[in-house]
Amino acid sequence: MRWLFDRQEPLVEAVLGSALNAVWIGPAIYLSRRAAGEQAARRDPEGYALREALRTGTVPEEEATRAALPGYLVGQRRATWAALLFILGTASD
């Protein structure tokens, strides 16, 4: 990407730099998401289970969480529509 904006360096150097960045950025993102997921699971176990079920498409094992899933999905759908309408309303300049 940097080569597109700064054409003073050759393409080969830009590709090599991007590859080297990917070597450390990939694991850093993976580990930070893993740590954030563990913290969220400790902070709000029921909400984390609902978000994880929605993200993975699996049914939660606990009965209480499974019963709360339809209401959570309805809330997510409403929030998505509200965000879409807000974006369309503010972007129509």
Side-chain angles (χ1 to χ4, degrees):
M1 289 294 292
R2 196 173 58 190
W3 182 78
L4 295 173
F5 302 106
D6 182 17
R7 299 207 179 233
Q8 296 175 358
E9 67 179 340
L11 177 62
V12 175
E13 288 181 22
V15 170
L16 180 61
S18 298
L20 290 174
N21 285 334
V23 166
W24 72 270
I25 290 175
I29 290 173
Y30 171 76
L31 292 173
S32 66
R33 293 188 86 195
R34 184 175 170 190
E38 291 172 358
Q39 288 176 355
R42 275 186 263 126
R43 187 174 49 243
D44 182 18
E46 187 174 309
Y48 179 76
L50 289 169
R51 288 188 300 275
E52 191 68 19
L54 185 61
R55 187 180 67 78
T56 60
T58 58
V59 178
E61 294 178 13
E62 292 183 15
E63 185 65 34
T65 307
R66 191 176 316 137
L69 188 59
Y72 180 74
L73 292 173
V74 168
Q76 290 295 313
R77 189 177 308 122
R78 285 184 186 148
T80 302
W81 276 109
L84 178 64
L85 292 174
F86 176 78
I87 290 169
L88 290 175
T90 59
S92 62
D93 289 333

Coordinates of all heavy atoms in Angstrom, one line a residue:
M1 N 0.8 -1.2 0.0 CA 0.0 0.0 0.0 C 0.9 1.3 0.0 O 0.5 2.2 -0.6 CB -0.9 0.0 1.2 CG -2.0 -1.0 1.2 SD -3.2 -0.7 -0.1 CE -4.0 0.8 0.5
R2 N 1.9 1.2 0.7 CA 2.8 2.4 0.8 C 3.3 2.7 -0.5 O 3.5 3.9 -0.9 CB 3.9 2.1 1.8 CG 4.6 3.4 2.3 CD 5.6 3.1 3.4 NE 6.5 2.1 2.9 CZ 7.4 1.5 3.7 NH1 7.4 1.7 5.0 NH2 8.2 0.6 3.2
W3 N 3.6 1.7 -1.4 CA 4.2 2.0 -2.7 C 3.2 2.8 -3.6 O 3.6 3.6 -4.4 CB 4.4 0.6 -3.4 CG 5.1 0.8 -4.8 CD1 6.3 1.1 -5.0 CD2 4.4 0.7 -6.0 NE1 6.5 1.2 -6.4 CE2 5.3 0.9 -7.0 CE3 3.1 0.4 -6.4 CZ2 5.0 0.9 -8.4 CZ3 2.8 0.4 -7.7 CH2 3.8 0.6 -8.7
L4 N 1.9 2.7 -3.3 CA 0.9 3.4 -4.1 C 1.0 4.9 -3.8 O 0.8 5.8 -4.6 CB -0.5 3.0 -3.8 CG -0.8 1.5 -4.2 CD1 -2.2 1.1 -3.7 CD2 -0.7 1.4 -5.7
F5 N 1.5 5.3 -2.6 CA 1.5 6.7 -2.2 C 2.9 7.3 -2.2 O 3.1 8.5 -2.4 CB 0.9 6.9 -0.8 CG -0.5 6.4 -0.7 CD1 -0.8 5.2 0.0 CD2 -1.5 7.1 -1.3 CE1 -2.1 4.7 0.0 CE2 -2.8 6.7 -1.2 CZ -3.1 5.5 -0.5
D6 N 3.9 6.4 -2.0 CA 5.3 6.9 -2.0 C 6.1 6.1 -3.1 O 6.6 5.0 -2.8 CB 5.9 6.7 -0.6 CG 7.4 7.2 -0.6 OD1 7.7 8.0 -1.4 OD2 8.1 6.8 0.4
R7 N 6.1 6.6 -4.3 CA 6.7 5.9 -5.4 C 8.2 6.1 -5.5 O 8.8 5.8 -6.5 CB 6.1 6.4 -6.7 CG 4.6 6.1 -6.6 CD 4.1 5.9 -8.0 NE 2.7 5.6 -7.9 CZ 2.1 4.6 -8.5 NH1 2.8 3.8 -9.2 NH2 0.8 4.4 -8.4
Q8 N 8.9 6.5 -4.4 CA 10.3 6.7 -4.5 C 11.1 5.4 -4.2 O 12.2 5.3 -4.5 CB 10.8 7.8 -3.5 CG 10.2 9.1 -3.9 CD 10.5 10.2 -2.9 OE1 11.1 9.9 -1.9 NE2 10.2 11.4 -3.2
E9 N 10.4 4.4 -3.6 CA 11.0 3.2 -3.4 C 10.5 2.1 -4.4 O 9.4 2.2 -4.8 CB 10.8 2.7 -1.9 CG 9.3 2.3 -1.6 CD 9.2 1.9 -0.2 OE1 10.1 1.4 0.4 OE2 8.0 1.9 0.3
P10 N 11.3 1.2 -4.7 CA 10.9 0.2 -5.7 C 9.8 -0.7 -5.1 O 9.6 -0.9 -3.9 CB 12.1 -0.7 -6.0 CG 13.2 0.0 -5.2 CD 12.7 1.0 -4.3
L11 N 9.0 -1.3 -6.0 CA 7.9 -2.2 -5.6 C 8.4 -3.4 -4.8 O 7.8 -3.8 -3.8 CB 7.2 -2.7 -6.9 CG 6.0 -3.7 -6.6 CD1 4.9 -3.0 -5.8 CD2 5.5 -4.2 -8.0
V12 N 9.6 -3.9 -5.1 CA 10.1 -5.1 -4.4 C 10.3 -4.7 -2.9 O 10.0 -5.5 -2.0 CB 11.4 -5.6 -5.1 CG1 12.0 -6.7 -4.3 CG2 11.2 -6.0 -6.5
E13 N 10.9 -3.6 -2.7 CA 11.1 -3.1 -1.3 C 9.8 -2.9 -0.5 O 9.6 -3.3 0.6 CB 11.9 -1.9 -1.2 CG 13.4 -2.1 -1.6 CD 14.1 -0.8 -1.5 OE1 13.7 0.1 -0.8 OE2 15.2 -0.7 -2.2
A14 N 8.8 -2.4 -1.2 CA 7.5 -2.2 -0.6 C 6.8 -3.5 -0.3 O 6.2 -3.7 0.8 CB 6.6 -1.4 -1.5
V15 N 6.9 -4.5 -1.2 CA 6.3 -5.8 -0.9 C 7.0 -6.5 0.2 O 6.4 -7.1 1.1 CB 6.3 -6.7 -2.2 CG1 5.9 -8.1 -1.9 CG2 5.4 -6.1 -3.3
L16 N 8.3 -6.4 0.2 CA 9.1 -7.0 1.3 C 8.8 -6.4 2.7 O 8.6 -7.1 3.7 CB 10.6 -6.9 1.0 CG 11.5 -7.5 2.1 CD1 11.3 -9.0 2.2 CD2 13.0 -7.2 1.7
G17 N 8.7 -5.1 2.7 CA 8.3 -4.4 3.9 C 6.9 -4.8 4.4 O 6.7 -5.0 5.6
S18 N 6.0 -4.9 3.5 CA 4.6 -5.4 3.8 C 4.6 -6.8 4.4 O 3.9 -7.1 5.3 CB 3.7 -5.3 2.6 OG 3.6 -4.0 2.1
A19 N 5.4 -7.6 3.8 CA 5.5 -9.0 4.3 C 6.1 -9.1 5.7 O 5.6 -9.8 6.5 CB 6.3 -9.9 3.3
L20 N 7.1 -8.3 5.9 CA 7.7 -8.2 7.2 C 6.8 -7.7 8.3 O 6.7 -8.1 9.4 CB 9.0 -7.4 7.2 CG 10.2 -8.0 6.4 CD1 11.4 -7.1 6.4 CD2 10.6 -9.3 7.1
N21 N 6.0 -6.7 7.9 CA 5.0 -6.1 8.8 C 3.9 -7.2 9.1 O 3.4 -7.3 10.3 CB 4.3 -4.9 8.3 CG 5.2 -3.7 8.3 OD1 6.1 -3.6 9.2 ND2 5.0 -2.7 7.5
A22 N 3.5 -8.0 8.1 CA 2.5 -9.0 8.3 C 3.0 -10.1 9.3 O 2.2 -10.7 10.0 CB 2.1 -9.6 7.0
V23 N 4.3 -10.3 9.3 CA 4.9 -11.3 10.2 C 4.6 -11.0 11.7 O 4.4 -11.9 12.5 CB 6.4 -11.5 9.9 CG1 7.1 -12.3 11.0 CG2 6.6 -12.2 8.6
W24 N 4.7 -9.7 12.0 CA 4.5 -9.4 13.4 C 3.1 -8.8 13.7 O 2.6 -9.0 14.8 CB 5.6 -8.4 13.9 CG 5.5 -7.0 13.4 CD1 6.0 -6.5 12.3 CD2 4.7 -5.9 14.0 NE1 5.7 -5.2 12.2 CE2 4.9 -4.8 13.2 CE3 3.9 -5.8 15.1 CZ2 4.3 -3.6 13.5 CZ3 3.3 -4.6 15.4 CH2 3.5 -3.5 14.6
I25 N 2.5 -8.2 12.7 CA 1.1 -7.7 12.9 C 0.1 -8.8 13.1 O -0.8 -8.8 13.9 CB 0.7 -6.7 11.8 CG1 1.5 -5.5 11.9 CG2 -0.8 -6.4 11.8 CD1 1.3 -4.5 10.8
G26 N 0.2 -9.9 12.3 CA -0.7 -11.0 12.4 C -0.8 -11.6 13.7 O -1.9 -11.7 14.3
P27 N 0.3 -12.1 14.3 CA 0.3 -12.6 15.6 C -0.1 -11.6 16.7 O -0.8 -12.0 17.7 CB 1.7 -13.1 15.9 CG 2.3 -13.3 14.5 CD 1.6 -12.3 13.7
A28 N 0.2 -10.4 16.5 CA -0.1 -9.3 17.5 C -1.7 -9.2 17.5 O -2.3 -9.1 18.6 CB 0.5 -8.0 17.2
I29 N -2.3 -9.1 16.4 CA -3.8 -9.0 16.3 C -4.4 -10.3 16.9 O -5.4 -10.1 17.7 CB -4.2 -8.8 14.9 CG1 -3.8 -7.4 14.4 CG2 -5.7 -9.0 14.7 CD1 -4.0 -7.1 13.0
Y30 N -3.9 -11.4 16.6 CA -4.5 -12.7 17.1 C -4.4 -12.7 18.7 O -5.4 -13.0 19.3 CB -3.7 -13.9 16.5 CG -4.1 -15.2 17.2 CD1 -5.3 -15.8 16.9 CD2 -3.3 -15.8 18.1 CE1 -5.7 -17.0 17.6 CE2 -3.6 -17.0 18.8 CZ -4.8 -17.5 18.5 OH -5.1 -18.7 19.1
L31 N -3.2 -12.4 19.2 CA -3.1 -12.4 20.7 C -3.9 -11.4 21.4 O -4.4 -11.6 22.4 CB -1.6 -12.3 21.0 CG -0.7 -13.5 20.6 CD1 0.7 -13.2 20.8 CD2 -1.1 -14.8 21.3
S32 N -4.0 -10.2 20.8 CA -4.8 -9.1 21.4 C -6.3 -9.5 21.4 O -7.0 -9.2 22.4 CB -4.5 -7.8 20.8 OG -5.0 -7.8 19.4
R33 N -6.8 -10.1 20.3 CA -8.2 -10.4 20.3 C -8.4 -11.6 21.2 O -9.5 -11.6 21.9 CB -8.6 -10.9 18.8 CG -8.5 -9.7 17.9 CD -9.1 -10.1 16.6 NE -10.5 -9.9 16.7 CZ -11.4 -10.4 15.8 NH1 -11.0 -11.1 14.8 NH2 -12.7 -10.1 16.0
R34 N -7.5 -12.5 21.4 CA -7.7 -13.6 22.3 C -7.7 -13.1 23.8 O -8.6 -13.5 24.6 CB -6.5 -14.6 22.2 CG -6.6 -15.8 23.0 CD -5.5 -16.7 22.7 NE -5.5 -17.8 23.7 CZ -4.6 -18.7 23.8 NH1 -3.6 -18.7 23.0 NH2 -4.7 -19.6 24.7
A35 N -6.8 -12.1 24.1 CA -6.8 -11.6 25.4 C -8.1 -10.8 25.7 O -8.7 -10.8 26.8 CB -5.6 -10.7 25.6
A36 N -8.5 -10.0 24.7 CA -9.7 -9.2 24.9 C -11.0 -10.1 25.0 O -11.9 -9.8 25.8 CB -9.9 -8.3 23.7
G37 N -11.0 -11.2 24.3 CA -12.1 -12.2 24.5 C -12.1 -12.8 25.8 O -13.2 -13.0 26.4
E38 N -11.0 -13.1 26.4 CA -10.9 -13.7 27.8 C -11.4 -12.7 28.8 O -12.1 -13.0 29.7 CB -9.5 -14.2 28.1 CG -9.1 -15.4 27.3 CD -7.6 -15.7 27.4 OE1 -6.9 -15.0 28.2 OE2 -7.2 -16.7 26.8
Q39 N -11.0 -11.4 28.6 CA -11.4 -10.4 29.5 C -12.9 -10.1 29.4 O -13.6 -10.0 30.5 CB -10.7 -9.0 29.3 CG -9.2 -9.1 29.7 CD -8.5 -7.8 29.3 OE1 -9.1 -6.9 28.6 NE2 -7.3 -7.7 29.7
A40 N -13.5 -10.1 28.2 CA -14.9 -10.0 28.0 C -15.7 -11.1 28.6 O -16.8 -10.9 29.2 CB -15.2 -9.8 26.6
A41 N -15.1 -12.3 28.5 CA -15.8 -13.5 29.1 C -15.8 -13.4 30.6 O -16.8 -13.8 31.2 CB -15.1 -14.8 28.6
R42 N -14.8 -12.9 31.2 CA -14.8 -12.8 32.7 C -15.7 -11.6 33.1 O -16.3 -11.7 34.2 CB -13.4 -12.5 33.2 CG -12.6 -13.8 33.4 CD -11.2 -13.5 34.0 NE -10.3 -13.5 32.9 CZ -9.4 -12.5 32.6 NH1 -9.4 -11.4 33.4 NH2 -8.6 -12.5 31.6
R43 N -15.7 -10.5 32.4 CA -16.5 -9.4 32.8 C -18.0 -9.6 32.6 O -18.8 -9.2 33.4 CB -16.0 -8.2 31.9 CG -16.6 -6.9 32.3 CD -16.0 -5.7 31.5 NE -16.0 -5.9 30.1 CZ -14.9 -6.0 29.3 NH1 -13.7 -5.9 29.9 NH2 -15.0 -6.2 28.0
D44 N -18.4 -10.2 31.5 CA -19.8 -10.4 31.2 C -20.0 -11.8 30.6 O -20.1 -11.9 29.3 CB -20.3 -9.3 30.2 CG -21.8 -9.4 29.9 OD1 -22.5 -10.0 30.7 OD2 -22.2 -8.8 28.9
P45 N -20.1 -12.8 31.4 CA -20.1 -14.2 30.8 C -21.4 -14.4 29.9 O -21.3 -15.1 28.9 CB -20.0 -15.1 32.0 CG -20.2 -14.3 33.2 CD -20.0 -12.8 32.8
E46 N -22.5 -13.9 30.4 CA -23.7 -14.2 29.6 C -23.7 -13.4 28.3 O -24.1 -14.0 27.3 CB -25.0 -13.8 30.5 CG -26.3 -14.2 29.8 CD -27.4 -13.9 30.7 OE1 -27.4 -14.3 31.9 OE2 -28.4 -13.3 30.3
G47 N -23.4 -12.2 28.3 CA -23.3 -11.4 27.1 C -22.2 -11.9 26.2 O -22.4 -12.0 24.9
Y48 N -21.1 -12.4 26.7 CA -20.1 -12.9 25.9 C -20.6 -14.2 25.2 O -20.3 -14.4 24.0 CB -18.8 -13.2 26.7 CG -17.7 -13.9 25.9 CD1 -17.0 -13.1 25.0 CD2 -17.4 -15.2 26.0 CE1 -15.9 -13.6 24.3 CE2 -16.4 -15.8 25.2 CZ -15.7 -15.0 24.4 OH -14.7 -15.5 23.6
A49 N -21.3 -15.0 25.9 CA -21.8 -16.3 25.3 C -22.8 -16.0 24.2 O -22.8 -16.7 23.2 CB -22.5 -17.1 26.4
L50 N -23.6 -14.9 24.4 CA -24.6 -14.5 23.3 C -23.8 -14.0 22.1 O -24.1 -14.4 20.9 CB -25.5 -13.5 23.8 CG -26.6 -14.0 24.8 CD1 -27.3 -12.8 25.4 CD2 -27.5 -14.9 24.1
R51 N -22.8 -13.2 22.3 CA -22.0 -12.6 21.2 C -21.3 -13.7 20.5 O -21.2 -13.8 19.2 CB -21.1 -11.5 21.6 CG -21.8 -10.3 22.0 CD -20.8 -9.1 22.3 NE -19.9 -9.4 23.4 CZ -20.2 -9.3 24.7 NH1 -21.4 -8.8 25.1 NH2 -19.3 -9.5 25.6
E52 N -20.7 -14.7 21.2 CA -20.0 -15.8 20.6 C -20.9 -16.7 19.8 O -20.5 -17.2 18.7 CB -19.3 -16.6 21.7 CG -18.3 -17.6 21.3 CD -17.0 -16.9 20.6 OE1 -16.8 -15.7 20.9 OE2 -16.4 -17.6 19.9
A53 N -22.1 -16.9 20.3 CA -23.1 -17.7 19.6 C -23.4 -17.1 18.3 O -23.6 -17.7 17.2 CB -24.3 -18.0 20.4
L54 N -23.6 -15.7 18.3 CA -24.0 -15.0 17.1 C -22.8 -15.0 16.1 O -23.0 -15.2 14.9 CB -24.3 -13.6 17.5 CG -24.8 -12.7 16.3 CD1 -26.1 -13.3 15.7 CD2 -25.1 -11.3 16.9
R55 N -21.6 -14.9 16.6 CA -20.4 -14.8 15.8 C -20.1 -16.2 15.1 O -19.8 -16.2 13.9 CB -19.2 -14.4 16.5 CG -17.9 -14.1 15.7 CD -16.8 -13.7 16.5 NE -16.3 -14.7 17.4 CZ -15.5 -15.8 17.0 NH1 -15.2 -15.9 15.8 NH2 -15.1 -16.6 17.9
T56 N -20.2 -17.2 15.9 CA -19.9 -18.6 15.3 C -21.1 -19.3 14.7 O -20.9 -20.3 14.0 CB -19.3 -19.5 16.4 OG1 -20.3 -19.6 17.5 CG2 -18.1 -18.9 17.0
G57 N -22.3 -18.9 15.0 CA -23.5 -19.5 14.5 C -23.8 -20.8 15.2 O -24.5 -21.7 14.7
T58 N -23.3 -21.0 16.4 CA -23.6 -22.2 17.2 C -24.7 -21.8 18.3 O -24.8 -20.7 18.7 CB -22.4 -22.7 17.9 OG1 -21.8 -21.7 18.7 CG2 -21.4 -23.2 16.8
V59 N -25.4 -22.9 18.7 CA -26.4 -22.7 19.8 C -25.7 -22.8 21.1 O -24.9 -23.7 21.3 CB -27.5 -23.8 19.7 CG1 -28.5 -23.6 20.8 CG2 -28.1 -23.7 18.3
P60 N -25.9 -21.9 22.1 CA -25.3 -22.0 23.4 C -25.7 -23.2 24.1 O -26.8 -23.7 24.0 CB -25.8 -20.7 24.1 CG -26.4 -19.8 23.1 CD -26.7 -20.7 21.9
E61 N -24.8 -23.7 25.0 CA -25.1 -24.9 25.7 C -26.0 -24.7 26.9 O -26.8 -25.5 27.2 CB -23.8 -25.6 26.2 CG -22.9 -26.1 25.0 CD -21.6 -26.6 25.5 OE1 -21.4 -26.9 26.7 OE2 -20.7 -26.8 24.7
E62 N -25.9 -23.6 27.6 CA -26.7 -23.3 28.7 C -28.1 -22.9 28.3 O -28.4 -22.2 27.4 CB -26.1 -22.1 29.5 CG -24.8 -22.4 30.2 CD -24.3 -21.3 31.0 OE1 -25.1 -20.4 31.3 OE2 -23.1 -21.2 31.3
E63 N -29.0 -23.4 29.1 CA -30.5 -23.2 28.8 C -30.9 -21.8 28.9 O -31.6 -21.3 28.1 CB -31.3 -24.1 29.8 CG -32.8 -24.0 29.5 CD -33.1 -24.7 28.1 OE1 -32.5 -25.6 27.7 OE2 -34.1 -24.2 27.5
A64 N -30.4 -21.1 29.9 CA -30.7 -19.7 30.1 C -30.2 -18.8 29.0 O -30.9 -17.9 28.5 CB -30.2 -19.1 31.4
T65 N -29.0 -19.1 28.5 CA -28.4 -18.3 27.4 C -29.1 -18.7 26.1 O -29.4 -17.8 25.3 CB -26.9 -18.7 27.3 OG1 -26.3 -18.5 28.5 CG2 -26.3 -17.8 26.2
R66 N -29.5 -19.9 26.0 CA -30.2 -20.3 24.8 C -31.6 -19.6 24.7 O -32.1 -19.2 23.7 CB -30.4 -21.8 24.7 CG -30.9 -22.4 23.4 CD -31.0 -23.9 23.4 NE -29.9 -24.5 23.9 CZ -29.9 -25.6 24.8 NH1 -31.1 -26.1 25.1 NH2 -28.8 -26.1 25.2
A67 N -32.2 -19.5 25.9 CA -33.5 -18.8 25.9 C -33.4 -17.3 25.7 O -34.3 -16.7 25.1 CB -34.2 -19.0 27.3
A68 N -32.3 -16.7 26.0 CA -32.1 -15.3 25.8 C -31.7 -14.9 24.4 O -31.7 -13.8 24.0 CB -31.0 -14.8 26.8
L69 N -31.3 -15.9 23.6 CA -30.7 -15.7 22.2 C -31.7 -15.0 21.3 O -31.4 -14.1 20.6 CB -30.2 -17.0 21.6 CG -29.4 -16.9 20.3 CD1 -28.2 -15.9 20.5 CD2 -29.0 -18.2 19.9
P70 N -33.0 -15.5 21.2 CA -33.9 -14.8 20.3 C -34.1 -13.3 20.6 O -34.2 -12.5 19.7 CB -35.3 -15.6 20.5 CG -34.9 -16.9 21.0 CD -33.6 -16.7 21.8
G71 N -34.2 -12.9 21.9 CA -34.4 -11.5 22.2 C -33.1 -10.7 21.9 O -33.2 -9.6 21.4
Y72 N -32.0 -11.4 22.0 CA -30.7 -10.7 21.7 C -30.6 -10.5 20.2 O -30.2 -9.4 19.7 CB -29.5 -11.6 22.2 CG -28.2 -11.0 21.8 CD1 -27.7 -9.9 22.6 CD2 -27.4 -11.5 20.8 CE1 -26.4 -9.4 22.3 CE2 -26.1 -11.0 20.5 CZ -25.7 -10.0 21.3 OH -24.4 -9.4 21.0
L73 N -31.1 -11.4 19.4 CA -31.0 -11.3 17.9 C -32.0 -10.2 17.5 O -31.7 -9.4 16.6 CB -31.4 -12.6 17.3 CG -30.4 -13.7 17.4 CD1 -31.0 -15.0 16.8 CD2 -29.1 -13.4 16.7
V74 N -33.2 -10.1 18.1 CA -34.1 -9.0 17.8 C -33.5 -7.6 18.1 O -33.6 -6.7 17.3 CB -35.4 -9.2 18.6 CG1 -36.3 -8.0 18.5 CG2 -36.2 -10.4 18.0
G75 N -32.8 -7.5 19.2 CA -32.1 -6.3 19.6 C -31.0 -5.9 18.6 O -30.9 -4.8 18.3
Q76 N -30.3 -6.9 18.2 CA -29.2 -6.7 17.2 C -29.8 -6.2 15.9 O -29.2 -5.4 15.2 CB -28.4 -8.0 17.0 CG -27.5 -8.3 18.2 CD -26.4 -7.3 18.5 OE1 -25.8 -6.8 17.5 NE2 -26.3 -6.8 19.7
R77 N -30.9 -6.8 15.5 CA -31.5 -6.4 14.2 C -32.0 -5.0 14.3 O -31.8 -4.2 13.4 CB -32.7 -7.4 13.9 CG -33.3 -7.2 12.5 CD -34.4 -8.2 12.2 NE -33.9 -9.6 12.4 CZ -34.6 -10.4 13.3 NH1 -35.6 -10.0 13.9 NH2 -34.2 -11.6 13.4
R78 N -32.6 -4.6 15.4 CA -33.1 -3.3 15.6 C -32.0 -2.3 15.6 O -32.1 -1.2 15.0 CB -33.9 -3.1 16.9 CG -35.3 -3.7 16.8 CD -36.0 -3.5 18.1 NE -37.3 -4.2 18.0 CZ -37.9 -4.7 19.1 NH1 -37.3 -4.5 20.3 NH2 -39.0 -5.3 19.0
A79 N -30.9 -2.6 16.2 CA -29.7 -1.7 16.3 C -29.1 -1.6 14.9 O -28.7 -0.5 14.5 CB -28.7 -2.3 17.3
T80 N -29.1 -2.6 14.1 CA -28.6 -2.6 12.8 C -29.4 -1.7 11.9 O -28.9 -0.8 11.1 CB -28.5 -4.0 12.1 OG1 -27.7 -4.8 13.0 CG2 -27.9 -3.9 10.8
W81 N -30.7 -1.8 12.0 CA -31.6 -0.9 11.2 C -31.5 0.5 11.6 O -31.5 1.4 10.8 CB -33.1 -1.4 11.3 CG -33.4 -2.5 10.4 CD1 -33.6 -3.8 10.7 CD2 -33.5 -2.4 9.0 NE1 -33.9 -4.5 9.5 CE2 -33.8 -3.6 8.5 CE3 -33.4 -1.3 8.1 CZ2 -34.0 -3.9 7.1 CZ3 -33.6 -1.6 6.7 CH2 -33.9 -2.8 6.3
A82 N -31.4 0.8 12.9 CA -31.2 2.1 13.4 C -29.9 2.7 12.9 O -29.9 3.9 12.5 CB -31.3 2.1 15.0
A83 N -28.8 2.0 12.9 CA -27.6 2.5 12.4 C -27.6 2.8 11.0 O -27.1 3.8 10.5 CB -26.5 1.5 12.7
L84 N -28.3 1.9 10.2 CA -28.4 2.1 8.8 C -29.2 3.3 8.4 O -28.8 4.2 7.6 CB -29.1 0.9 8.1 CG -29.3 1.0 6.6 CD1 -28.0 1.0 5.9 CD2 -30.1 -0.2 6.1
L85 N -30.3 3.5 9.2 CA -31.2 4.7 8.9 C -30.4 6.0 9.3 O -30.5 7.0 8.7 CB -32.5 4.6 9.7 CG -33.4 3.5 9.2 CD1 -34.6 3.4 10.1 CD2 -33.8 3.8 7.7
F86 N -29.6 5.9 10.4 CA -28.9 7.1 10.8 C -27.8 7.4 9.8 O -27.6 8.6 9.4 CB -28.2 6.8 12.2 CG -27.3 7.9 12.6 CD1 -27.8 9.0 13.2 CD2 -25.9 7.8 12.5 CE1 -27.0 10.1 13.6 CE2 -25.1 8.8 12.9 CZ -25.6 9.9 13.5
I87 N -27.1 6.4 9.3 CA -26.1 6.7 8.2 C -26.8 7.3 7.0 O -26.3 8.2 6.4 CB -25.3 5.4 7.9 CG1 -24.5 5.0 9.1 CG2 -24.5 5.5 6.7 CD1 -23.9 3.6 9.0
L88 N -27.9 6.7 6.6 CA -28.5 7.2 5.4 C -29.1 8.6 5.6 O -29.1 9.4 4.7 CB -29.7 6.3 5.0 CG -29.2 4.9 4.4 CD1 -30.5 4.0 4.1 CD2 -28.4 5.1 3.1
G89 N -29.5 8.9 6.8 CA -30.0 10.2 7.1 C -29.0 11.3 7.2 O -29.2 12.4 6.8
T90 N -27.8 10.9 7.7 CA -26.7 11.9 7.8 C -25.9 12.0 6.5 O -25.2 13.0 6.3 CB -25.8 11.6 9.0 OG1 -25.3 10.3 8.8 CG2 -26.6 11.7 10.3
A91 N -25.9 11.0 5.7 CA -25.1 11.0 4.5 C -25.7 11.6 3.3 O -25.2 11.7 2.2 CB -24.7 9.6 4.2
S92 N -27.0 12.1 3.4 CA -27.7 12.6 2.3 C -27.6 14.1 2.2 O -28.5 14.8 2.1 CB -29.2 12.2 2.3 OG -29.7 12.7 3.5
D93 N -26.3 14.6 2.2 CA -26.1 16.0 2.1 C -26.2 16.5 0.6 O -25.8 16.0 -0.3 CB -24.7 16.4 2.6 CG -24.7 16.3 4.1 OD1 -25.7 16.4 4.7 OD2 -23.6 16.0 4.6

